[in-house]
Amino acid sequence: MTSAPTVDDHSADGHPTEGDSAEGHTAESDSIGGHTAESDSAEGSSAEEHTAESSAAESLTSDGRSAKSDAASARSRPRRKGRGRKIAVALLVLAAAGAATAATLGIGIDLDGRDGGTDPAAALPPSTAEVTRRTLKDTQSADGELGYGPATGLGSRLPGTLTQLPASGDTISRGKPLFKVDDKPVTLMYGPVPAYRAMKAGITEGPDVEQLERNLAALGHTGFTVDEEFTDATADAVKAWQEDQGLPETGAVEFGRVVFAPAAVRVDSLAAAEGDAAGPGGKVLSYTGTDQVVTAELDVADQRLAKKGAEVAIAFPDGTSAKGTVAEVSTVIEPGEGSQDAEPETRIETIVELGAGKDQKAAAAFALASVDVSFTAEERRDVLTVPVAALVALQEGGYGVEAVEGTTTRYVPVDTGLFADGRVEISGGGITEGMTVGMPQ
């Protein structure tokens, strides 16, 4: 910074005093090598300026006064060169820093108290925004695929020859054959528990027995109590079912004769042909559900969006839309691409079921299609909001906004809620709808 100006060692009539050098400075004030940088700065004038002043001293002003006395008087006053410019620059810097600068100081700005006659508007925030009331949604879109969901592979537990297979796209319901081995059907029944053993009288109780009994009853074969116990009455119902299927009436269900699935299935693809050998380890076909679903993947960081039961919005290629519900959420590890050393990528896979009626009808126009899926993690209705950029960090901790009131501003602390769509929910004393707040440029 420039040092405070000093008064030159000159006589009152403007001539150098005894002992001054030719330039008008005393030898005592000079350093060994001439003037120091500090003393030059303090004087605020070069040798040329001094010469100009000396010339002016020999002339007269228009009112007859000696110009050199005016020059001397000017030198005796503290110089304020550049002060007005520096104040203006400081105000511009403060305005550019906006709320962040004032927040660091922990104070508001009272523009009425500024000196120098500076225009108060020069220190207002560079732009403003209003506190508005609206509904905020934490949403994010992801690419999805409309189809029938992941396919499940199915093999044969029974040895023999495949003598009948369905076609891709066929729908198979309860009690119908999925395929035939040695001209005997492997039948579909409904239930969540896979078949894992032969079922006959004398086996321990289990959920697979209860599933079998529920299906027998649904197919019209009754006379037993539906529970986890395989009784003689259950065996009689099995014999009746075997008669309908063209199977030996043994009263026992051999392992592999029945396949359990949650509901009716759609044949997705075939992995074998009629005449191929069937047996453990060999894949026959793959199947999916019969209703169209949307499969969408999310980054692990967005896992909060993938909540089972959450509602989503689906946009189809033709501009129509539908609603859906997240039915399944699973973690999928995908192999790295490019080289063997590439890191695998972890993704969150979601299966979205479409709503019944018009939503399923909207999807029916597309067998397979790419769609947009909008997930909503949280929703806040009828809350006060400002742009996120309006928040300032307060010195005492927390956040606030810079309230603009005419030509003055003040900082108001706020509590923050949901952040979404570039805005943030705020609340606190003094926060009202329509309030004007400062914004950065």
Side-chain angles (χ1 to χ4, degrees), residues 160-226:
T161 301
L162 292 170
T163 55
Q164 182 178 314
L165 292 171
S168 295
D170 283 355
T171 297
I172 299 171
S173 58
R174 180 181 5 224
K176 302 299 181 181
L178 288 160
F179 54 88
K180 289 185 178 181
V181 176
D182 293 343
D183 206 31
K184 294 182 175 61
V186 172
T187 305
L188 175 68
M189 291 188 177
Y190 297 166
V193 180
Y196 58 91
R197 61 177 175 172
M199 288 176 281
K200 57 186 179 180
I203 63 171
T204 57
E205 298 178 3
D208 56 336
V209 174
E210 183 177 357
Q211 282 184 165
L212 174 66
E213 291 180 339
R214 288 187 183 281
N215 280 273
L216 291 171
L219 292 170
H221 307 293
T222 58
F224 53 83
T225 300
V226 176

Side-chain angles (χ1 to χ4, degrees), residues 119-188:
D119 180 7
L124 289 173
S127 62
T128 60
E130 279 193 1
V131 177
T132 61
R133 188 177 296 278
R134 63 179 62 189
T135 296
L136 285 184
K137 290 184 178 182
D138 178 13
T139 62
Q140 182 170 319
S141 294
D143 294 333
E145 291 293 332
L146 176 66
Y148 292 90
T152 300
L154 177 64
S156 175
R157 301 286 187 176
L158 300 172
T161 301
L162 292 170
T163 55
Q164 182 178 314
L165 292 171
S168 295
D170 283 355
T171 297
I172 299 171
S173 58
R174 180 181 5 224
K176 302 299 181 181
L178 288 160
F179 54 88
K180 289 185 178 181
V181 176
D182 293 343
D183 206 31
K184 294 182 175 61
V186 172
T187 305
L188 175 68

Side-chain angles (χ1 to χ4, degrees), residues 304-396:
R304 73 187 189 285
L305 301 170
K307 296 179 181 178
K308 189 173 181 178
E311 292 187 357
V312 302
I314 302 162
F316 297 114
D318 63 353
T320 59
S321 61
K323 293 182 179 180
T325 303
V326 177
E328 297 179 28
V329 179
S330 58
T331 301
V332 177
I333 299 178
E334 299 175 348
E337 297 181 357
S339 68
Q340 292 182 345
D341 297 330
E343 292 289 333
E345 184 177 8
T346 301
R347 307 279 289 174
I348 304 301
E349 185 177 82
T350 61
I351 304 299
V352 177
E353 293 181 346
L354 296 168
K358 64 177 183 179
D359 295 323
Q360 285 284 350
K361 186 177 181 180
F366 308 93
L368 299 172
S370 295
V371 298
D372 290 329
V373 184
S374 295
F375 293 85
T376 300
E378 187 176 355
E379 179 178 335
R380 299 283 292 165
R381 294 181 177 273
D382 196 32
V383 294
L384 295 177
T385 72
V386 294
V388 174
L391 290 180
V392 292
L394 302 179
Q395 185 182 35
E396 57 270 26

Side-chain angles (χ1 to χ4, degrees), residues 275-293:
D276 288 351
K283 185 176 178 181
V284 177
L285 55 83
S286 61
Y287 65 86
T288 66
T290 57
D291 291 334
Q292 285 182 290
V293 298

Side-chain angles (χ1 to χ4, degrees), residues 22-48:
E23 287 79 357
H25 298 283
T26 64
E28 293 177 359
S29 66
D30 290 340
S31 64
I32 295 175
H35 300 292
T36 66
E38 182 177 353
S39 64
D40 281 345
S41 175
E43 286 295 330
S45 63
S46 65
E48 289 80 356

